């Protein structure tokens, strides 16, 4: 139970006092902070609406002349709200956060680069080096083509992530389905992280090539 800093009512942890509407500096997970169900498939429009609505009600300007504890609660609740929204809005951030909630971390058992990605990393670095060696327009064209291919792998990985989210929300019972879903989730998030890095490297390579 939490106590409202304004009317002193004790209530279940939440960001807004149900009695007087004052902000409450509660420690909540991202889903609870936004008052959305703890699910991986999210209606992003609804999430955004909720975020703006709560943001207005918690805004520090509204409590500028309130006692210090109320102002402090407003700042803290607003920060938590914003952090929660940013985490949940992005599917990758949401997936990483989900792992955390389930006591798993991406870094664990994840030191090895997936083999299909390892080959890709090597090829891309090679191509960027060729462009740096100023082997003419051919190298730049090949790298642009590579960028498109990486983008389509990224789309594929994002689709797989969305499918994994749906399967979680179908609420699998028992430890095994959850263990499988966790390992799938880790694997696809790790692939997305590598692909993001590769696309960034390619973009830098292309930029450097244009500047040369
Ligand atoms: Zn209150």
């Amino acid at each position: 139970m939490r106590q409202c800093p304004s009317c002193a009512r004790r209530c279940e942890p939440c960001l807004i006092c149900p009695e007087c509407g004052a902000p409450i500096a509660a420690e909540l997970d991202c889903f609870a902070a936004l008052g959305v169900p703890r699910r991986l498939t999210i209606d992003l429009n609804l999430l955004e609406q909720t975020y703006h609505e709560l943001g207005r009600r918690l805004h520090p300007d509204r409590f500028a002349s309130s006692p210090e504890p109320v102002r402090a609660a407003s700042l803290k609740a607003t920060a938590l709200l914003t952090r929660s929204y940013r985490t949940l809005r992005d599917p990758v951030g949401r997936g990483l956060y989900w792992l955390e909630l389930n006591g798993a971390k991406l870094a664990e058992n994840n030191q090895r680069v997936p083999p299909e990605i390892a080959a890709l990393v090597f090829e891309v670095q090679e191509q960027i080096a060729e462009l740096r060696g100023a082997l003419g327009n051919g190298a730049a064209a090949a790298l642009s083509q590579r960028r498109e291919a990486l983008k389509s792998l990224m789309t594929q990985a994002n689709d797989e992530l969305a499918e994994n989210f749906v399967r979680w929300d179908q609420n699998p019972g028992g430890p095994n389905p959850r263990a499988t879903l966790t390992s799938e989730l880790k694997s696809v998030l790790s692939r997305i992280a590598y692909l993001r890095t590769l696309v960034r490297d390619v973009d830098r390579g292309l930029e450097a090539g244009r500047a040369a």
Side-chain angles (χ1 to χ4, degrees):
M1 297 288 267
R2 272 265 164 186
Q3 192 164 26
C4 170
S6 185
C7 71
R9 179 190 148 132
R10 300 183 71 78
C11 52
E12 290 299 317
C14 60
L15 293 184
I16 296 176
C17 172
E19 186 74 27
C20 72
I24 298 178
E27 304 287 341
L28 298 172
D29 72 56
C30 293
F31 295 95
L34 280 147
V36 297
R38 204 189 257 211
R39 293 166 57 87
L40 275 168
T41 48
I42 283 185
D43 179 341
L44 287 177
N45 288 325
L46 189 66
L47 188 76
E48 194 187 346
Q49 271 174 31
T50 310
Y51 167 62
H52 287 307
E53 152 84 18
L54 290 174
R56 265 193 300 276
R57 291 172 63 187
L58 290 169
H59 203 284
D61 286 356
R62 293 192 55 202
F63 304 99
S65 54
S66 300
E68 205 283 324
V70 177
R71 278 184 285 139
S74 152
L75 287 172
K76 207 171 164 210
T78 300
L80 175 63
L81 180 73
T82 304
R83 200 164 62 239
S84 302
Y85 175 63
R86 288 187 182 150
T87 301
L88 296 187
R89 181 182 53 179
D90 168 38
V92 172
R94 199 186 315 149
L96 290 168
Y97 182 63
W98 191 261
L99 284 179
E100 225 179 283
L101 283 180
N102 283 280
K105 276 222 167 71
L106 192 56
E108 286 166 23
N109 315 318
N110 202 46
Q111 279 81 355
R112 256 190 38 222
V113 186
E116 74 276 15
I117 293 284
L120 199 58
V121 171
F122 179 75
E123 286 170 29
V124 170
Q125 298 310 336
E126 190 111 295
Q127 281 187 308
I128 293 173
E130 274 174 29
L131 184 64
R132 234 179 251 134
L135 297 182
N137 285 333
L143 203 53
S144 296
Q145 234 170 37
R146 173 66 77 180
R147 190 182 191 284
E148 290 311 303
L150 289 173
K151 282 283 185 187
S152 98
L153 287 175
M154 186 78 101
T155 305
Q156 207 180 307
N158 285 328
D159 289 348
E160 277 177 48
L161 184 64
E163 285 161 21
N164 176 272
F165 284 0
V166 170
R167 285 202 298 279
W168 272 104
D169 288 348
Q170 284 162 352
N171 202 9
N176 274 342
R178 296 179 73 86
T180 309
L181 288 176
T182 301
S183 99
E184 272 177 18
L185 181 55
K186 278 186 181 183
S187 139
V188 70
L189 285 172
S190 148
R191 202 172 347 130
I192 289 173
Y194 278 109
L195 288 170
R196 279 187 174 175
T197 307
L198 283 175
V199 169
R200 194 200 56 205
D201 289 352
V202 165
D203 282 343
R204 283 182 185 164
L206 284 170
E207 216 168 285
R210 271 193 295 271

